[in-house]
């Protein structure tokens, strides 16, 4: 009896494991940091987040880090050790209220302090939507630049995680991309995270920094130890190609990179892969230059397709590159259902197979 | 079952463990001295099944210094102002009330798009403003123009903002009455209600860390206090022990909604202790009561580094705004009664008359002088042009993004051929 039960349990474990493995079907390929950034050390994405905040806290005495459960190190371990190092008045828990966290950060920033706020999951940023969209985004504008909250950065974990279901999986960047005054950033790796987060913290505008939580532990690479910035508003061409441009951000970059390798090998199609990195202000120049060259564009993101940020890119590119386009712009994104239904994640995701099909469609058009 | 009998079945270690549980349970059942020690509650247990009925609690009393005739009730509470300071306060009240009347008319004549009066709440505004350090940071709602005037904002600055001209504090980007002043430490007003309250808590935290000896004050109405942001702000402020004064103007109405439809508790003040805040309710029509309370609150906030809640009870004598006719939901008789019997300006005026500080002659001189200033400023503001249309592309970010610049270029191209369809003459030249 006992043996039978044990078998059942282990079978369940195996099932759930395989489910998780399947859902996170991307291959993280570490980058090599530019040599000029010097010495590196192995970090996963959450350690690179901690490292960036560590640098900020050490350099800027006004900087504070706060949110739900950040004091003991955070539910994803992104703030480990910071409280011990910088004191409990600089790294502290807040009451459980997202609108309060955002507003508190706005107030700190308006009073001249560097505010690094954490919203535990991007799915829970909506209670703070009013504070972010009506207040943070418009603070400078509405005061004729008398006041601003540019020293505010809101960090929040985003994206699919294999089993996060409806409220631990969402990619909500498009909601904020529609609100002038905010900058929106999504990194793809630890090296990128550190450089982009340091830029976000120092940028004189409020920034929402989405951290792909599936990469927190899975993405490990050699991250430069020193202080460095990666500019906001600049996309990065990761793979040069001549037939199709694929634009993506966050975890999905790794999916489309793999797609580019597969279609190169199996179908001899050359893809140019672009990591957008900053959603607002987005680097339309890099994207349009690439599409002018390749004549074909695929945009891929985890968020729902309708009114996702891919729609903005598609509309913009068709206007700017109309004469260069050889095929309709394709969007491979999440379906227009609440993202992400628990046990259906594998089917929901804009995975490599769906992307490969899109590549075939645009090439054969 | 006795402890002795148990020992036969268990070894010595187990027995002592069971013994300890046994005695603990025994003492909790019989002893009243056993205290609750939950993480969320430490205190006494009770064997009575007793609910708290809030209506059985004594209401929080309303602190006052002067009666309705402007007579100080207890001289030991009379603030020690010199005549000049008293006159400054009255002048500000007078100026604001004249400004209110003239702007109201200006809106009615279509010269400005919108206005919100301060009628009935001038004592709460001026009394609190006088008790603050000029460096204390203010986060206001929108009915606090008196606070700003007291700090030195000029009628010209008010008019420039209201008319939206190029001298206006927000360069014509916000509706009238959404003032702001960096040099007077008055954070620019925004329309979404209550959003400023938790922001003030954040600013107060920065002040606390700076140890600058200053505090932050946030004003809000009793209607705004129903917003989630208000609860969040009180909780954050209390948890972080910040030097912040919550100043609630309870004027009885949120547009048409009377307080009976706003809350069931003992006003806003009753919420203060629930959040662990020092709290007071004051007669908001009594300038001295408001002054004393705010001054003491400031002391507590700064010295003890903790938030204080002041609920100033008053009555909104004017309409909610120029887009509102308040007689649609309250009687003219009701308004007139308050206007006559409990008018904060009359009360303070009576006090000054009784003291011989203000005379009828001074009043009529002041009226004429203020009217002249306001009309002059208004005319000047009206004649000053708006910023260039391209101003609207600025200050979205610290620097315009490429996309915004591209869109600005589009507008300029468009205006090259179509400017006759736009009111170009009202704006500075491109």
């Amino acid at each position: 009896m006992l043996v039978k039960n044990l078998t059942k349990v282990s079978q369940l474990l195996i099932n759930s494991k395989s489910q998780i493995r399947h859902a996170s079907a991307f291959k993280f390929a570490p980058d090599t940091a530019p040599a000029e950034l010097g010495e590196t050390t192995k970090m996963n994405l959450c350690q690179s987040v901690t490292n960036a905040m560590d640098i900020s806290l050490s350099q800027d005495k006004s900087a504070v880090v706060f949110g739900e459960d950040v004091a003991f190190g955070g539910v994803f371990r992104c703030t480990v050790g910071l409280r011990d190092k910088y004191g409990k008045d600089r790294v502290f828990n807040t009451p459980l209220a997202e609108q309060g966290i955002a507003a508190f950060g706005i107030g700190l920033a308006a009073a001249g302090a560097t505010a690094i706020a954490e919203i535990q999951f991007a799915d829970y940023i909506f209670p703070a939507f009013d504070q972010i969209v009506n207040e943070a985004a418009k603070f400078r504008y509405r005061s004729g630049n008398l006041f601003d909250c540019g020293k505010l950065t809101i960090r929040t974990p985003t994206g699919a995680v294999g089993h996060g279901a409806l409220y631990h999986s969402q990619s909500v960047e498009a909601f904020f991309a529609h609100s002038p005054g905010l900058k929106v950033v999504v990194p793809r790796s630890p090296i990128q995270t550190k450089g982009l987060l340091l830029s976000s913290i120092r940028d004189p505008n409020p920034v929402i920094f989405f951290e792909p939580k599936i990469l927190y532990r899975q993405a490990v690479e050699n991250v430069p130890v020193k202080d460095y910035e990666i500019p906001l508003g600049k996309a990065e061409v990761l793979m040069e190609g001549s037939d199709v441009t694929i634009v993506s951000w966050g975890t999905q970059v790794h999916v489309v990179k793999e797609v580019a390798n597969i279609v190169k090998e199996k179908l001899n199609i050359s893809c140019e892969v672009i990591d957008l990195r900053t959603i607002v202000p987005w680097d339309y120049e890099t994207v349009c230059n690439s599409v002018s060259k390749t004549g074909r564009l695929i945009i891929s993101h985890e968020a729902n397709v309708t009114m996702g940020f891919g729609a903005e890119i598609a509309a913009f590119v068709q206007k700017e590159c109309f004469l260069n386009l050889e095929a309709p712009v394709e969007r491979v994104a999440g379906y227009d259902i609440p993202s992400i239904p628990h046990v259906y994640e594998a089917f929901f995701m804009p995975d490599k197979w769906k992307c490969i099909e899109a590549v075939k469609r645009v090439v054969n058009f | 079952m006795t402890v002795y009998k148990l020992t036969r079945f268990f070894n010595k270690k187990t027995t002592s463990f069971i013994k300890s549980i046994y005695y603990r349970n025994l003492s909790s059942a019989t002893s009243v001295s056993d205290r609750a020690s939950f993480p969320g509650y430490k205190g006494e247990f009770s064997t009575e099944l007793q609910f708290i009925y809030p209506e059985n609690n004594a209401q929080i009393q309303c602190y006052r210094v002067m009666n309705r005739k402007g007579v100080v009730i207890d001289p030991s509470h009379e603030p020690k102002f010199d005549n000049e300071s008293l006159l400054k306060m009255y002048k500000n009240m007078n100026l604001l009330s004249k400004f209110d009347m003239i702007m109201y008319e200006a809106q009615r004549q279509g010269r400005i798009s919108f206005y919100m009066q301060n009628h009935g709440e001038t004592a709460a505004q001026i009394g609190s403003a006088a008790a603050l350090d000029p460096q204390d940071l203010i986060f206001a709602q929108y009915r606090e123009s008196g606070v700003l005037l007291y700090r030195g904002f000029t009628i010209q600055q008010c008019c420039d903002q209201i008319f939206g001209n190029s001298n206006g504090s927000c360069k014509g980007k916000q509706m009238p009455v959404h003032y702001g002043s960096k040099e007077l430490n008055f954070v620019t007003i925004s329309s979404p209600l209550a959003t400023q309250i938790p922001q003030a808590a954040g600013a107060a935290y920065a002040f606390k860390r700076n140890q600058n000896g200053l505090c932050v004050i946030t004003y809000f109405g009793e209607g705004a206090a129903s917003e989630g942001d208000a609860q969040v702000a009180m909780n954050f402020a209390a948890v972080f022990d910040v030097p912040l004064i919550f100043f609630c103007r309870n004027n009885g109405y949120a547009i048409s909604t009377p307080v009976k439809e706003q809350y069931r508790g003992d006003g806003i003040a009753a919420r203060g202790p629930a959040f662990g805040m020092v709290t007071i309710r004051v007669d908001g029509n009594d300038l001295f009561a408001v002054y004393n309370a705010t001054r003491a609150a400031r002391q507590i906030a700064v010295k003890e580094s903790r938030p204080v809640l002041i609920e100033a009870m008053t009555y909104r004598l004017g309409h909610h705004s120029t887009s509102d006719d308040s007689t649609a939901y309250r009687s003219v008789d009701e308004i007139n009664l308050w206007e006559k019997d409990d008018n904060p300006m009359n009360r303070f005026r009576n006090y000054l008359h009784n003291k011989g500080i203000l005379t009828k002659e001074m009043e009529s001189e002041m009226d004429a002088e203020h009217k002249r200033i306001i009309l002059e400023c208004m005319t000047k503001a009206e004649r000053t042009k708006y910023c260039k249309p391209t101003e609207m592309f600025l200050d979205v970010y610290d620097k315009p993004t490429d996309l915004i610049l591209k869109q600005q270029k589009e507008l300029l191209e468009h205006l090259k051929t179509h400017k006759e369809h736009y009111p170009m003459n009202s704006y500075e030249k491109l």
Side-chain angles (χ1 to χ4, degrees):
Chain A
M1 186 65 184
L2 190 67
V3 174
K4 204 177 160 191
N5 270 348
L6 269 179
T7 319
K8 263 191 184 166
V9 169
S10 63
Q11 215 148 36
L12 266 177
L13 276 174
I14 289 163
N15 282 344
S16 70
K17 261 188 188 165
S18 69
Q19 217 169 41
I20 290 165
R21 253 204 307 273
H22 185 87
S24 56
F26 64 92
K27 281 183 191 148
F28 177 78
D31 288 327
T32 307
E36 68 265 24
L37 292 181
E39 193 197 334
T40 61
T41 187
K42 200 168 254 189
M43 289 186 207
N44 61 25
L45 197 144
C46 60
Q47 288 163 330
S48 74
V49 170
T50 315
N51 188 233
M53 288 193 284
D54 191 352
I55 290 172
S56 298
L57 287 162
S58 72
Q59 288 178 352
D60 176 357
K61 298 287 171 246
S62 81
V64 290
V65 170
F66 55 95
E68 293 158 13
D69 306 299
V70 303
F72 87 112
V75 295
F76 287 108
R77 316 310 290 151
C78 286
T79 50
V80 169
L82 297 179
R83 184 186 179 90
D84 289 341
K85 196 165 169 187
Y86 297 102
K88 59 184 179 181
D89 69 317
R90 301 191 62 192
V91 181
F92 50 91
N93 289 337
T94 64
L96 207 164
E98 286 76 13
Q99 68 200 98
I101 293 169
F104 194 76
I106 293 168
L108 274 161
T114 296
I116 308 170
E118 177 181 308
I119 300 291
Q120 204 159 69
F121 286 86
D123 311 64
Y124 305 130
I125 204 166
F126 296 111
F129 201 69
D130 183 41
Q131 283 288 349
I132 295 171
V133 172
N134 271 333
E135 295 292 316
K138 299 173 177 68
F139 217 87
R140 186 193 298 275
Y141 190 72
R142 72 177 185 213
S143 71
N145 204 23
L146 292 179
F147 296 92
D148 69 80
C149 62
K151 290 186 158 197
L152 169 67
T153 304
I154 299 177
R155 301 174 34 244
T156 185
T158 187
V161 70
H163 51 278
L166 307 183
Y167 305 107
H168 300 82
S169 308
Q170 294 178 58
S171 295
V172 301
E173 62 273 9
F175 285 99
F176 298 98
H178 198 59
S179 180
L182 301 173
K183 292 193 177 180
V184 180
V185 178
V186 193
R188 69 166 189 277
S189 70
I191 296 173
Q192 293 292 312
T193 296
K194 180 173 170 183
L196 288 167
L197 183 53
L198 280 167
S199 294
S200 299
I201 292 168
R202 291 161 184 166
D203 191 273
N205 299 286
V207 179
I208 306 186
F209 193 83
F210 290 105
E211 296 161 6
K213 59 185 161 302
I214 189 125
L215 299 177
Y216 272 146
R217 303 192 170 279
Q218 285 196 37
V220 182
E221 61 190 6
N222 290 314
V223 178
V225 177
K226 67 179 258 190
D227 180 352
Y228 64 94
E229 291 180 23
I230 295 175
L232 304 188
K234 292 271 172 276
E236 186 182 8
V237 179
L238 294 180
M239 293 166 75
E240 295 204 2
S242 53
D243 300 327
V244 183
T245 300
I246 311 182
V247 175
S248 194
W249 51 90
T251 316
Q252 193 64 11
V253 169
H254 303 293
V255 176
V256 301
K257 264 171 83 181
E258 201 187 341
V259 167
N261 286 328
I262 293 169
V263 297
K264 179 83 204 163
E265 196 183 310
K266 308 269 188 206
L267 308 168
N268 199 29
I269 299 169
S270 160
C271 291
E272 182 141 304
V273 174
I274 298 176
D275 177 3
L276 199 60
R277 302 198 290 198
T278 304
I279 308 300
V280 181
W282 72 288
D283 185 357
Y284 58 85
E285 218 171 325
T286 298
V287 174
C288 288
N289 283 342
S290 173
V291 176
S292 300
K293 179 177 73 176
T294 62
R296 294 172 185 87
L297 173 64
I298 295 169
I299 307 138
S300 188
H301 55 66
E302 286 180 16
N304 314 108
V305 64
T306 298
M307 299 301 285
F309 197 67
E312 179 55 37
I313 298 173
F316 192 95
V317 168
Q318 74 82 23
K319 177 160 190 281
E320 296 297 317
C321 311
F322 188 69
L323 295 176
N324 300 86
L325 282 170
E326 308 278 352
V329 176
E330 282 268 356
R331 288 178 285 158
V332 188
Y335 301 115
D336 290 332
I337 57 177
S339 58
I340 299 172
H342 193 197
V343 304
Y344 309 98
E345 184 168 314
F347 301 97
F348 175 90
M349 296 298 283
D351 61 18
K352 61 184 169 194
W353 311 113
K354 294 175 188 171
C355 291
I356 290 168
E357 282 309 305
V359 173
K360 287 187 196 162
R361 280 198 300 273
V362 296
V363 171
N364 296 330
F365 183 80
Chain B
M1 185 159 51
T2 67
V3 176
Y4 172 75
K5 274 179 188 164
L6 278 172
T7 57
R8 283 189 298 175
F9 298 96
F10 300 103
N11 63 28
K12 210 173 167 186
K13 208 172 169 184
T14 321
T15 316
S16 78
F17 175 66
I18 289 171
K19 243 190 205 168
S20 72
I21 293 173
Y22 180 82
Y23 282 124
R24 204 160 58 202
N25 287 341
L26 186 75
S27 71
S28 72
T30 56
S31 159
V32 288
S33 67
D34 185 32
R35 283 168 61 83
S37 61
F38 303 102
Y41 170 70
K42 307 229 185 295
E44 296 300 326
F45 281 114
S46 164
T47 52
E48 278 175 67
L49 179 61
Q50 196 175 41
F51 291 92
I52 306 290
Y53 275 74
E55 50 269 39
N56 295 341
N57 289 350
Q59 281 186 301
I60 296 172
Q61 291 187 332
C62 193
Y63 169 71
R64 72 158 32 166
V65 174
M66 283 188 278
N67 69 15
R68 285 184 185 141
K69 302 276 176 226
V71 177
V72 171
I73 301 155
D74 174 355
S76 71
H77 282 247
E78 185 174 352
K80 309 266 177 291
F81 284 117
D82 56 28
N83 291 358
E84 200 185 331
S85 310
L86 290 167
L87 271 178
K88 181 189 170 184
M89 290 192 273
Y90 183 75
K91 271 185 184 167
N92 272 298
M93 286 169 99
N94 181 283
L95 183 60
L96 183 57
S97 79
K98 290 278 164 302
F99 188 62
D100 269 359
M101 283 194 291
I102 294 172
M103 285 298 116
Y104 188 83
E105 286 308 315
Q107 197 282 335
R108 282 290 175 266
Q109 293 162 12
R111 291 169 75 182
I112 59 173
S113 62
F114 179 78
Y115 189 74
M116 298 182 104
Q117 291 175 288
N118 303 277
H119 196 25
E121 299 179 39
T122 48
Q125 295 180 9
I126 305 292
S128 59
L132 299 170
D133 184 298
Q135 302 294 312
D136 290 339
L137 189 62
I138 297 174
F139 284 80
Q141 181 165 305
Y142 49 63
R143 215 182 295 284
E144 292 91 3
S145 306
V147 177
L148 197 49
L149 283 183
Y150 185 85
R151 282 214 167 173
F153 207 64
T154 63
I155 288 296
Q156 189 62 60
Q157 286 174 301
C158 290
C159 287
D160 288 337
Q161 196 284 329
I162 288 170
F163 281 87
N165 70 33
S166 59
N167 296 327
S169 57
C170 67
K171 300 172 188 164
K173 284 163 179 167
Q174 286 210 83
M175 282 174 84
V177 190
H178 292 55
Y179 309 120
S181 172
K182 182 82 180 168
E183 56 171 351
L184 299 175
N185 303 299
F186 188 97
V187 178
T188 301
I189 292 165
S190 74
S191 309
L193 282 183
T195 48
Q196 80 281 10
I197 315 176
Q199 291 170 8
Y205 191 83
F207 275 28
K208 181 185 174 181
R209 287 202 63 231
N210 288 345
Q211 295 185 306
N212 56 12
L214 297 174
C215 77
V216 178
I217 184 165
T218 176
Y219 291 88
F220 54 99
E222 90 288 345
S226 293
E227 291 282 359
D229 277 325
Q231 325 304 314
V232 153
M234 292 185 198
N235 197 31
F236 272 53
V239 167
F240 294 127
D241 302 313
V242 293
L244 171 62
I245 301 171
F246 290 86
F247 194 101
C248 178
R249 299 173 289 96
N250 189 336
N251 63 17
Y253 290 92
I255 307 187
S256 72
T257 307
V259 289
K260 270 191 174 167
E261 293 163 28
Q262 201 66 249
Y263 54 72
R264 274 290 177 280
D266 178 20
I268 309 306
R271 298 176 200 173
F275 285 104
M277 276 201 291
V278 179
T279 300
I280 192 167
R281 171 174 284 151
V282 300
D283 181 347
N285 295 342
D286 177 349
L287 190 145
F288 288 158
V290 173
Y291 171 81
N292 283 352
T294 311
R295 208 181 118 108
R298 193 182 181 281
Q299 187 103 355
I300 295 166
V302 174
K303 292 265 153 62
E304 299 176 29
S305 191
R306 63 184 301 182
V308 182
L309 170 63
I310 299 172
E311 183 183 25
M313 310 311 292
T314 180
Y315 183 83
R316 195 192 76 210
L317 280 172
H319 300 302
H320 164 70
S321 72
T322 48
S323 311
D324 169 53
D325 172 11
S326 64
T327 56
Y329 49 81
R330 60 180 186 180
S331 70
V332 178
D333 288 349
E334 178 188 310
I335 302 169
N336 287 342
L337 199 69
W338 281 92
E339 177 79 52
K340 192 163 83 45
D341 287 354
D342 201 358
N343 182 316
M345 222 173 117
N346 291 349
R347 197 190 297 196
F348 191 50
R349 185 191 288 127
N350 286 340
Y351 171 86
L352 296 174
H353 277 297
N354 294 345
K355 290 263 170 182
I357 297 165
L358 186 72
T359 61
K360 293 271 180 211
E361 294 75 50
M362 286 165 78
E363 271 189 73
S364 48
E365 260 176 49
M366 201 187 280
D367 284 357
E369 168 74 354
H370 285 166
K371 211 171 157 186
R372 186 188 61 77
I373 292 172
I374 294 164
L375 291 174
E376 256 179 40
C377 293
M378 198 163 94
T379 313
K380 196 174 164 207
E382 214 167 12
R383 286 182 187 154
T384 306
K385 293 198 170 189
Y386 300 130
C387 292
K388 298 179 202 185
T390 46
E391 169 62 39
M392 74 176 181
F393 294 104
L394 298 179
D395 300 332
V396 182
Y397 297 92
D398 65 318
K399 289 192 284 263
T401 61
D402 291 351
L403 204 57
I404 290 173
L405 288 174
K406 198 172 139 78
Q407 291 167 5
Q408 175 177 299
K409 208 173 140 204
E410 280 169 22
L411 173 69
L412 291 174
E413 288 293 316
H414 177 76
L415 289 178
K416 268 187 194 160
T417 43
H418 296 287
K419 66 166 170 273
E420 69 274 19
H421 304 301
Y422 296 87
M424 303 306 291
N425 290 338
S426 308
Y427 297 79
E428 287 174 352
K429 274 211 161 51
L430 280 165

